[in-house]
Amino acid sequence: MRVVIVVHEGFQLLDMAGPADVFATASVFRRDAYQVEVAAPGAGAVRAHGGITTVAAHSLDSLDGEIDTLLVAGGLSVPQVRHDEVLIKGLVRLARKAARIASVCNGALLLAEAGLLDGKRATTHWLAARELAERYPAVRVDADPIYIKEGNVWTSAGVTAGIDLALALVAEDHGHQVARDVARGLVVYLHRPGGQSQFSTPMEVQAPTREPLRDLLAYIDSHPAQDLSVPALANRAGMSERHFSRVFTEQSGLSPGRYVERSRAEAARRLLEATDHSQDTVARLTGLGAPETLYRVFRRHWRVSPGDYRRRFRSNEG
């Protein structure tokens, strides 16, 4: 099967190398399963972010023939290269020849710029999800999945998620046993547990314009175990409960209850990373009360259990 990986100046090296190694390893277990080619707006040397140079054997306009998978790499240069007409027009042309289209990381923005994600559900690196949604409103963005298949279009989350995506493509092409063999050979998960949210940084909220509310957000974040009910917070802000709820939501973009729960989930995440506290203690210190509530809230926000999260992200300096 012919795989064409599209790169550009400043691309993320692992966005290309990760999937390429998956396809190459699959060809060990299933002889000559894939033929991988690298293409760019212009043939020749292409410098990745970090300085390593690869060679694109083909320019986009020179490629001919049918393509089984057209895969687009992302990178920190995507905000600049999406204005490259040769790149975008090349993607549009090659997409017509491809049985399957895919992107790694914020390469999804290049597919979106080419109109190839219109009307489709897609994912990207969690840092680029808001930009994808705001700049391309025709795309239905879901920032949590490691990868998404929507018809013949596949998109994946950040960087190493390209390996997960490629393994899923191998499973679709040659079955789960071959994909399992490839995963074992590369020492990676066949199906990574949890979603992308477990890797994201603390929540972003609108900065309130009113000083009392800015102070209140700081209070909530630094006192998770206190009474943070709407009545208590409204009293602290000197407002009626109804007026407080309306103003808080308008100013922060979240309801008081939603903000408090997310803030407590953030506090629990920090304690799981940096301390040896039991889950019972973490639940008590963060105002979540019981381990059952901690588990439920943590799963809702990070799509992974507190125990699994601690095993993956526990700091040895805790």
Side-chain angles (χ1 to χ4, degrees):
M1 302 186 75
R2 186 187 188 196
V3 177
V4 174
I5 302 179
V6 177
V7 298
H8 45 81
E9 286 295 323
F11 74 98
Q12 180 79 38
L13 186 62
L14 196 53
D15 288 6
M16 177 197 74
D21 269 349
V22 169
F23 296 127
T25 305
S27 293
V28 172
F29 293 103
R30 182 68 61 88
R31 192 169 188 82
D32 298 327
Y34 295 97
Q35 171 190 324
V36 179
E37 304 170 31
V38 178
V46 183
R47 184 180 173 120
H49 173 71
I52 295 176
T53 298
T54 191
V55 175
H58 309 281
S59 63
L60 297 182
D61 60 6
S62 71
L63 280 170
D64 204 2
E66 299 301 311
I67 299 170
D68 292 293
T69 300
L70 177 68
L71 188 148
V72 182
L76 293 178
S77 63
V78 163
Q80 289 76 49
V81 301
R82 69 167 170 238
H83 302 297
D84 184 334
E85 289 189 9
V86 174
L87 174 59
I88 301 305
K89 288 181 178 179
L91 291 179
V92 172
R93 185 181 75 85
L94 293 178
R96 300 192 190 104
K97 301 173 177 288
R100 188 166 58 193
I101 304 164
S103 65
V104 181
C105 195
N106 65 344
L109 276 77
L110 299 178
L111 292 186
E113 184 70 26
L116 301 173
L117 297 184
D118 286 358
K120 291 181 169 58
R121 178 170 166 258
T123 193
T124 186
H125 193 295
W126 58 268
L127 279 170
R130 177 178 292 182
E131 181 182 7
L132 180 61
E134 292 178 351
R135 187 176 289 273
Y136 306 101
V139 182
R140 293 181 287 116
V141 180
D142 187 344
D144 187 56
I146 298 297
Y147 62 83
I148 289 175
K149 176 187 178 183
E150 181 85 352
N152 72 328
V153 178
W154 298 64
T155 51
S156 72
V159 195
T160 60
I163 295 173
D164 301 76
L165 171 68
L167 285 168
L169 296 177
V170 171
E172 181 174 80
D173 296 338
H174 300 290
H176 287 280
Q177 184 58 54
V178 174
R180 277 194 294 270
D181 289 340
V182 173
R184 290 190 184 108
L186 295 177
V187 197
V188 296
Y189 285 114
L190 176 57
H191 299 291
R192 189 191 311 212
Q196 188 176 198
S197 58
Q198 64 188 292
F199 301 97
S200 63
T201 53
M203 61 180 169
E204 295 180 5
V205 297
Q206 298 168 200
T209 56
R210 296 189 180 187
E211 187 172 342
L213 284 185
R214 289 198 298 271
D215 293 342
L216 188 63
L217 294 189
Y219 175 81
I220 292 171
D221 293 340
S222 58
H223 297 82
Q226 297 300 311
D227 180 3
L228 301 179
S229 64
V230 169
L233 293 175
N235 181 64
R236 190 173 186 85
M239 303 179 188
S240 69
E241 293 178 27
R242 184 175 179 181
H243 182 58
F244 167 74
S245 294
R246 180 179 61 79
V247 171
F248 188 100
T249 303
E250 288 177 354
Q251 292 282 306
S252 72
L254 295 173
S255 69
R258 175 71 174 171
Y259 184 90
V260 168
E261 182 181 277
R262 185 68 181 263
S263 179
R264 283 172 165 163
E266 290 282 3
R269 178 156 73 165
R270 292 192 297 271
L271 288 176
L272 290 169
E273 290 176 356
T275 74
D276 290 319
H277 294 330
S278 68
Q279 291 188 30
D280 184 79
T281 300
V282 170
R284 177 173 54 80
L285 291 176
T286 57
L288 293 171
E292 295 77 13
T293 306
L294 169 66
Y295 180 89
R296 186 173 64 254
V297 168
F298 214 85
R299 289 280 302 181
R300 179 157 55 241
H301 288 281
W302 314 128
R303 310 295 177 89
V304 66
S305 72
D308 283 345
Y309 183 86
R310 169 171 267 169
R311 280 187 287 275
R312 290 173 209 160
F313 298 103
R314 171 81 167 87
S315 168
N316 290 328
E317 298 175 358

